[in-house]
């Protein structure tokens, strides 16, 4: 109900393409493309196609967004340099006089800014601590590799923060995927490249995502006349609380459920995807099942071309705005592994919103975010008592499951026998 219609439709299209067409065709090749004895959860079987084709689309979409964001950033900087060289003040551009509220916000925000020495010094201290601590937690990473990550991260963090300010879209996960590929291939399979790549992803994402989050907080502080220092301290306190609460919550769910089981309650799909990216970095394309590489290349190229088409139409086609009707490759890739049920849930929410808007557009626009937030909160809060019941060994009295036609026939045969 919160996501745009095209996002949910893209999820449905991805679910139909994968679970409705591609996976049944690939499963019919069992014994030819991959061994029939391989378990369903192995990346060398059908699971490999699901994961690596999704990874290919996500990487294609992410690579395009990173390059596109870099071009936008460079273009914006060049335009600012041209304005300054022509003696044009950005605040006076277009002969618009800045009003009192805007001057007040700017003066208040700049008056309480964080000194550069504190910012640079704090980053150097954190980099020094991490350089010595992270290798002790993850021995697969050497100290100089962590140092290289901290040297590269500020550039990527700036690009992510600036791009997020332009488009309100953080690409931290894409930078993390690139870190997995680089560091896992650097370390190698024999020295634990999979763990090293995933650990470097955590280091990179913690820096890059924090930059965009802080930028959003500072923007909120600017609009609400809040002190930048208070916003920063709040972020630090929240991060410190997360360092304690997040491991506890993870331990709680890890003990209650079989986290990572593709057939379980918490399949953790992105965990397997990120591990698959790390395997690509250390093993290369030889680890993929038969014809998986060709299909992955097609998915990668298709994701890039779809994004190029959307960008071109957004720039040049303004009358009909056809680009709004083109599905998103990133959204299409999510059901490849996660399954079609997620897409159906999202589309049901869009259908409810559509019917609501047909009956009362004003109420739908005003109340739909509150209704969606209530549904999200209710579903999330139920996770706590559900985990407690699972720890106590309590099973639900009724279980509902949807099966394919063949599986349903086998179940009917067993029950009938």
């Amino acid at each position: 109900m919160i996501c745009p219609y095209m996002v949910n439709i893209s999820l449905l299209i991805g679910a139909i393409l994968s679970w409705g067409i591609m996976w049944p065709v690939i499963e019919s090749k069992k014994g030819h493309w991959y061994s029939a004895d391989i378990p369903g959860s192995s990346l060398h079987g059908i699971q490999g196609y699901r994961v690596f084709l999704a990874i290919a689309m996500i990487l294609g979409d992410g690579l395009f967004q990173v390059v596109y964001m870099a071009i936008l950033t460079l273009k914006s900087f060049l335009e600012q340099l041209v304005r300054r060289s022509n003696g044009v003040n950005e605040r006076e551009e277009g002969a618009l006089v800045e009003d009192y509220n805007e001057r007040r916000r700017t003066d208040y925000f700049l008056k309480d800014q964080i000194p550069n020495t504190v910012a640079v010094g704090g980053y150097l201290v954190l980099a020094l601590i991490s350089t010595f601590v992270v290798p002790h937690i993850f021995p697969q990473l050497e100290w100089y590799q962590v140092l290289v990550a901290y040297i590269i991260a500020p550039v990527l963090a700036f690009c992510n923060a600036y791009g997020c300010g332009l488009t309100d879209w953080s690409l931290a996960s894409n930078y993390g995927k690139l870190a997995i590929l680089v560091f896992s291939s650097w370390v190698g399979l024999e020295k634990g490249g999979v763990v090293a790549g995933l650990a470097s992803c955590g280091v990179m994402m913690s820096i890059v995502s924090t930059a965009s989050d802080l930028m959003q907080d500072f923007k909120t502080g600017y609009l609400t006349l809040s002190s930048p220092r208070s916003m920063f301290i709040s972020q630090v306190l929240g991060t410190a609380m997360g360092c304690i609460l997040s491991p506890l919550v993870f331990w709680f769910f890890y003990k209650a459920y079989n986290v990572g089981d593709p057939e379980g309650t918490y399949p953790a799909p992105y965990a397997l995807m990120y591990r698959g990216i790390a395997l690509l970095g250390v093993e290369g394309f030889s680890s993929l099942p038969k014809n998986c590489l060709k299909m992955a290349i097609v998915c990668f190229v298709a994701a890039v071309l779809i994004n190029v088409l959307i960008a071109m139409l957004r720039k040049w086609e303004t009358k009909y705005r056809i680009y709004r009707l083109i599905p998103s490759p990133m959204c299409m890739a999510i059901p490849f592994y996660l399954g079609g049920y997620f897409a159906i849930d999202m589309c049901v929410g869009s259908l409810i919103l559509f019917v609501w808007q047909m009956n009362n557009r004003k109420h739908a626009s005003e109340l739909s975010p509150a209704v969606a937030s209530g549904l999200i909160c209710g579903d999330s809060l139920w996770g706590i008592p559900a985990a407690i019941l699972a720890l106590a060994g309590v099973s639900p009295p009724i279980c509902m499951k949807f099966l394919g036609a063949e599986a349903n026939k086998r179940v009917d045969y067993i029950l009938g026998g």
Side-chain angles (χ1 to χ4, degrees):
M1 297 178 72
I2 295 176
C3 293
Y5 289 129
M6 203 59 225
V7 169
N8 297 336
I9 293 175
S10 299
L11 292 170
L12 184 61
I13 293 173
I16 294 173
L17 286 176
S18 56
W19 292 89
I21 300 174
M22 296 172 65
W23 305 157
V25 172
I26 293 175
E27 285 185 329
S28 67
K29 306 293 183 181
K30 182 187 296 185
H32 299 283
W33 286 13
Y34 60 94
S35 175
D37 299 329
I38 294 178
S41 60
S42 173
L43 290 177
H44 296 285
I46 183 63
Q47 195 76 348
Y49 295 94
R50 295 171 182 170
V51 172
F52 288 112
L53 294 189
I55 288 173
M57 291 196 72
I58 291 173
L59 287 178
D61 187 282
L63 181 62
F64 174 85
Q65 298 299 337
V66 169
V67 174
Y68 186 65
M69 202 67 66
I71 294 173
L72 286 181
T73 302
L74 181 61
K75 180 182 177 182
S76 178
F77 275 136
L78 292 176
E79 290 175 351
Q80 290 182 22
L81 291 176
V82 170
R83 292 193 194 102
R84 292 174 182 175
S85 63
N86 293 334
V88 178
N89 191 319
E90 291 181 16
R91 297 180 185 177
E92 299 174 356
E93 185 180 4
L96 294 175
V97 180
E98 199 174 39
D99 62 13
Y100 171 78
N101 291 331
E102 203 68 23
R103 291 199 306 270
R104 176 72 172 172
R105 288 193 181 97
T106 302
D107 294 339
Y108 190 84
F109 186 80
L110 295 178
K111 179 185 68 174
D112 204 19
Q113 64 180 324
I114 300 170
N116 291 332
T117 53
V118 175
V120 176
Y123 185 80
L124 292 177
V125 170
L126 290 175
L128 184 64
I129 295 174
S130 298
T131 300
F132 289 99
V133 172
V134 172
H136 285 84
I137 301 175
F138 302 101
Q140 294 84 357
L141 275 176
E142 300 290 342
W143 66 269
Y144 55 85
Q145 292 169 336
V146 179
L147 184 61
V148 169
Y150 269 88
I151 293 173
I152 299 173
V155 179
L156 302 180
F158 173 78
C159 294
N160 189 51
Y162 194 89
C164 188
L166 291 175
T167 64
D168 206 29
W169 191 358
S170 175
L171 300 177
S173 61
N174 295 323
Y175 292 112
K177 296 183 186 78
L178 293 176
I180 293 177
L181 287 172
V182 172
F183 284 90
S184 60
S185 60
W186 184 3
V187 175
L189 180 61
E190 295 78 11
K191 297 182 180 179
V194 174
V195 176
L198 295 175
S200 64
C201 172
V203 171
M204 190 66 69
M205 285 187 63
S206 65
I207 300 171
V208 175
S209 63
T210 301
S212 60
D213 292 342
L214 274 174
M215 189 278 303
Q216 298 281 35
D217 289 343
F218 288 148
K219 183 167 65 176
T220 303
Y222 173 81
L223 295 174
T224 59
L225 289 176
S226 301
S227 168
R229 296 186 183 183
S230 65
M231 303 297 291
F232 178 75
I233 292 173
S234 300
Q235 183 77 252
V236 171
L237 293 176
T239 303
M241 293 172 60
C243 292
I244 300 173
L245 295 178
S246 295
L248 292 177
V249 172
F250 173 78
W251 176 86
F252 187 71
F253 280 90
Y254 186 77
K255 292 294 184 181
Y257 301 103
N258 187 12
V259 178
D261 181 10
E263 305 297 331
T265 307
Y266 284 88
Y270 273 97
L272 191 58
M273 287 187 182
Y274 277 54
R275 181 176 177 270
I277 296 174
L279 286 173
L280 273 181
V282 296
E283 295 183 356
F285 297 113
S286 60
S287 62
L288 300 180
K290 186 178 179 180
N291 293 322
C292 185
L293 176 59
K294 297 177 183 178
M295 300 174 69
I297 292 175
V298 172
C299 290
F300 181 89
V301 174
V304 174
L305 292 179
I306 291 173
N307 277 293
V308 171
L309 179 62
I310 293 174
M312 292 173 61
L313 291 176
R314 184 183 285 115
K315 183 175 179 61
W316 292 315
E317 195 272 331
T318 56
K319 184 178 180 181
Y320 299 104
R321 295 192 290 174
I322 300 176
Y323 64 87
R324 298 180 304 166
L325 305 178
I326 301 176
S328 167
M330 181 74 75
C331 298
M332 291 172 60
I334 294 175
F336 273 46
Y337 173 71
L338 196 58
Y341 74 93
F342 177 74
I344 294 174
D345 291 346
M346 299 290 282
C347 287
V348 168
S350 288
L351 179 61
I352 294 173
L353 180 62
F354 178 77
V355 174
W356 194 357
Q357 288 178 336
M358 292 291 292
N359 290 307
N360 195 323
R361 178 172 293 274
K362 183 175 182 296
H363 282 181
S365 61
E366 292 176 350
L367 300 178
S368 59
V371 173
S373 300
L375 291 171
I376 294 172
C377 290
D379 186 64
S380 300
L381 289 175
W382 167 246
I384 298 175
I388 295 174
L389 292 174
L391 282 173
V394 178
S395 299
I398 300 176
C399 180
M400 185 191 310
K401 188 169 186 178
F402 296 93
L403 303 173
E406 294 298 326
N408 190 60
K409 288 180 181 179
R410 290 196 297 269
V411 172
D412 288 342
Y413 176 78
I414 294 172
L415 294 177

